[in-house]
Amino acid sequence: MPDSRVPRPRRFLVCEPRHFAVQYAINPWMHPDTPVDVDLARGQWEALIRAYRAHGHTVDSVEPVAGLPDMVFAANCALVLAGRVFGSLFHAPQRRPESIAYDTWFKAAGFDVYRPESVCEGEGDLVPTGRYVLAGTGFRTTPEAHREVQEFFGVPVIGLRLVDPRFYHLDTALFVLDDDNIAYYPEAFSPGSREVLARLYPDAVLATREDAMAFGLNSVSDGRHVFIAPRAESLAEQLDRHGYVPVPVDLSEFHKAGGGIKCCTQEIRS
């Protein structure tokens, strides 16, 4: 294990939770009759932005659109690799207009945007590693989209099947620690997908169910610092033993919509 892991500055795209609410149910975490504290959500989101900037990361923001309560979950809008943008086509019709708003931002920032033909929910199900793109399916993004991603980027795509609806996106069950390793919750995946992950990442950090239910796998790592849900205590202890530095950030109000730290964070890889 390295004595000192080296962070890499990142560029993130986020969206202020000005219109955040739970108005419909498209995953098991969402209950429209549960009230959302918008002021608390805004305060938690602002704390995440401060934490990113305090650790040397650049944060850009897209203007929120009224009537799009899930637009705060910027990770779902696209996958950006080597300055190329693979956009989104949401499974739920309620979220499809979000793609237009994010595409507009990317184009104004000088990016070309590829529009997928198949259902694809950005970094929610597409997780770049040092060698591959790990790609989730089972609830949202389709295997056909995996093939589109591989053709567009020319990067090997490894399909992984999610089997627990509470972990409906790959980024609720797995995150990248650095170019060589990941953390994940094995029981979120089909038996074959678990075998694939074990072969690719024999030294991976394995999370408990409690960690996963606390949104501990919906984390963001810069290679040293891991921005993580405070209640994922066991996972944080493991990360510390592996030489990473946990940075607890409470986004619990967003858990009511099935989201957390990573959901609120799109990485722009130039």
Side-chain angles (χ1 to χ4, degrees), residues 129-208:
T129 70
R131 294 169 290 171
Y132 318 106
V133 172
L134 302 179
T137 191
F139 299 103
R140 300 289 184 84
T141 300
T142 65
E144 290 77 17
H146 296 179
R147 291 189 281 272
E148 283 190 73
V149 169
Q150 182 164 284
E151 287 300 313
F152 182 71
F153 290 114
V155 175
V157 173
I158 308 295
L160 301 168
R161 179 163 292 277
L162 297 161
V163 295
D164 187 327
R166 283 163 291 198
F167 310 111
Y168 58 95
H169 270 159
L170 186 59
D171 72 359
T172 65
L174 177 154
F175 73 97
V176 171
L177 288 164
D178 50 41
D179 285 347
D180 299 314
N181 209 4
I182 64 170
Y184 69 100
Y185 172 53
E187 282 70 25
F189 298 91
S190 68
S193 295
R194 290 200 298 268
E195 289 188 22
V196 169
L197 289 170
R199 287 174 182 270
L200 292 177
Y201 300 100
D203 299 319
V205 175
L206 303 183
T208 66

Side-chain angles (χ1 to χ4, degrees), residues 208-257:
T208 66
R209 183 171 186 79
E210 290 73 22
D211 293 327
M213 293 294 287
F215 285 80
L217 280 307
N218 197 243
S219 296
V220 171
S221 172
D222 65 13
R224 173 173 170 79
H225 308 101
V226 179
F227 303 88
I228 188 171
R231 288 179 50 229
E233 296 178 359
S234 175
L235 179 57
E237 291 172 1
Q238 283 202 73
L239 294 173
D240 180 70
R241 290 196 297 271
H242 282 77
Y244 300 95
V245 179
V247 180
V249 183
D250 183 11
L251 259 64
S252 55
E253 199 64 14
F254 297 94
H255 297 179
K256 295 176 180 179

